[in-house]
């Protein structure tokens, strides 16, 4: 078994972390383990301290939490790899219990949950504890059918062979979310044990940046579920367009004493159609990087011949030009005075904006595909 510490200028806490892990793992005299420090370019004495404490040091030139962990895991010699931050905040005495829980049923990943254990006062910021971690964990559970309590725990144990099949790539803090999502998408088995969190030294500057890294986690989570945006976008766009057609046919009508399908309804339907189209295009974009299978419609659009895409784009632009020209002609006939074409124009803008928006989105997607291939 290998225990990996990602490290960037942790000279003040590294020795205590290594000693805490060694003390825990040494309780099992039959356990063979190594402690590895994946150094991410420390400018202090972190490397020297690691060597003095009997750890193996692996330099990782690519900067980032995820990059350091990836380098350490790939260099690990053990069948199972455990890792935790080197800031003295995790309960390293739980190293052996976490390892034992992971190998007990030969699961692919064990997680030391902070949320199920004791969190010291000041150990976790309020936003992280009551908003960030619960929301991100809930999203992962909802979208990927997980049963987790702490998606942001940095204290985990994984089976290296399974990990290598997951193709985890994130170099930053979102590595934590990607590792869980890739594991769940590969139907990996997971187990959690209660652990906790200690407060860091008062003058320690954390590597984590709340809003930036939180957004990176969220973006990655959403990008791994393109079906959500694909289906939601299609449903909203189709429903809004059908209702816009009804508004054109019936005109303003009263239902239960309420005026519907008037200009305000048409404007809202136009907005809904545009938002739905944007959602759908975003879902298509996510398919370029995710390995999920799109619907037949989306697959056809993503694989559309560039010649067909050209004529679709030209056709949409031509239709818009015809509408604008027609409006100008009608307007000119009234000496550029007031004309009552609001109902018709809202409908026309709806029916024409969706093709042009879709065409431009497909144009961008095809450019991205070409760029990725090159």
């Amino acid at each position: 078994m290998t225990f990996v510490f990602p490290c960037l200028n942790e000279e003040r806490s590294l020795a205590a972390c290594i000693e805490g892990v060694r003390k825990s793992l040494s309780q099992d005299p039959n356990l063979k383990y190594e402690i590895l420090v994946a150094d991410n370019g420390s400018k202090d004495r972190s490397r020297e301290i690691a060597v003095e404490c009997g750890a193996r040091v692996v330099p990782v030139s690519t900067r980032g939490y995820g990059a350091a962990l990836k380098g350490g895991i790939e260099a690990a010699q053990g069948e199972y790899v455990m890792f935790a931050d080197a800031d003295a905040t995790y309960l390293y005495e739980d190293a052996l219990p976490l390892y034992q829980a992971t190998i007990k049923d030969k699961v692919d990943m064990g997680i030391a949950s902070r949320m199920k254990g004791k969190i010291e006062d000041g150990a976790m910021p309020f936003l992280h504890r009551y908003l960030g971690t619960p929301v991100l964990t809930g999203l992962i559970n909802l979208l990927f059918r997980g049963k987790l309590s702490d998606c942001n725990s940095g204290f985990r144990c994984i089976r290296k062979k399974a990990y290598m099949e997951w193709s985890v790539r994130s170099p930053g803090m979102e590595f934590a979310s990607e590792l869980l999502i890739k594991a769940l998408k590969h139907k990996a088995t997971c187990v959690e044990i209660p652990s906790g969190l200690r407060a860091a030294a008062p003058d320690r500057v954390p590597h984590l940046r709340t809003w930036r890294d939180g957004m990176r986690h969220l973006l990655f989570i959403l990008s791994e579920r393109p079906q959500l945006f694909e289906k939601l976008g299609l449903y909203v766009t189709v429903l809004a367009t059908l209702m816009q057609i009804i508004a054109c046919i019936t005109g303003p009508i009263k239902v239960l004493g309420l005026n519907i399908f008037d200009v305000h309804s048409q404007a809202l339907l136009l907005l809904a159609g545009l938002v739905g189209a944007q959602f759908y295009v975003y879902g298509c974009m996510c398919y370029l990087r995710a390995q999920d299978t799109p619907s037949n419609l989306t697959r056809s659009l993503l694989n559309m011949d560039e010649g067909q895409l050209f004529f679709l784009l030209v056709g949409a632009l031509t239709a818009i030009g015809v509408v604008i020209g027609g409006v100008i002609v009608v307007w000119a006939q009234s000496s550029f005075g007031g004309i009552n074409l609001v109902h018709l124009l809202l409908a026309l803008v709806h029916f024409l904006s969706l093709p042009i928006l879709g065409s431009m989105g497909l144009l961008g997607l095809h450019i991205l595909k070409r760029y990725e291939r090159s």
Side-chain angles (χ1 to χ4, degrees), residues 170-182:
S170 296
M173 290 292 183
E174 65 273 23
F175 176 93
S177 292
E178 181 180 5
L179 184 61
L180 290 178
I181 291 170
K182 292 291 181 66

Side-chain angles (χ1 to χ4, degrees), residues 126-147:
F126 180 88
L127 285 176
H128 295 193
R129 185 171 183 177
Y130 297 106
L131 180 63
T133 297
V135 168
L136 294 177
T137 302
L139 270 177
I140 290 177
N141 287 338
L142 176 65
L143 298 179
F144 305 99
R145 300 179 181 179
K147 296 180 180 179

Side-chain angles (χ1 to χ4, degrees), residues 57-76:
V57 176
V58 173
V60 180
S61 57
T62 304
R63 297 299 290 269
Y65 170 78
L69 277 177
K70 286 170 57 182
I73 294 171
E74 291 169 3

Side-chain angles (χ1 to χ4, degrees), residues 279-348:
F279 269 60
Y280 179 72
V281 171
Y282 175 74
C284 293
M285 187 180 301
C286 290
Y287 277 118
L288 295 183
R289 63 171 303 281
Q291 298 183 3
D292 300 59
T293 302
S295 65
N296 291 333
L297 172 63
T298 301
R299 187 184 303 111
S300 298
L301 292 175
L302 291 175
N303 296 324
M304 177 183 288
D305 178 77
E306 280 78 2
Q308 295 175 332
L309 177 60
F310 171 78
F311 286 108
L312 176 63
L313 185 59
V314 170
L317 291 172
T318 301
I320 290 176
V322 170
V323 169
I324 293 175
V327 171
I328 292 175
V329 169
V330 173
W331 193 18
Q333 290 175 349
S334 64
S335 300
F336 296 101
I339 54 175
N340 187 18
L341 294 177
V342 178
H343 285 283
L344 179 60
L345 277 178
L346 282 172
L348 288 175

Side-chain angles (χ1 to χ4, degrees), residues 2 12 70 97 100 134 176 189 219 223 250 254 308 322 354 364:
T2 300
R12 296 180 58 184
K70 286 170 57 182
Q100 291 173 335
T189 50
L219 288 175
S223 72
T250 65
K254 279 193 175 183
Q308 295 175 332
V322 170
L354 297 184

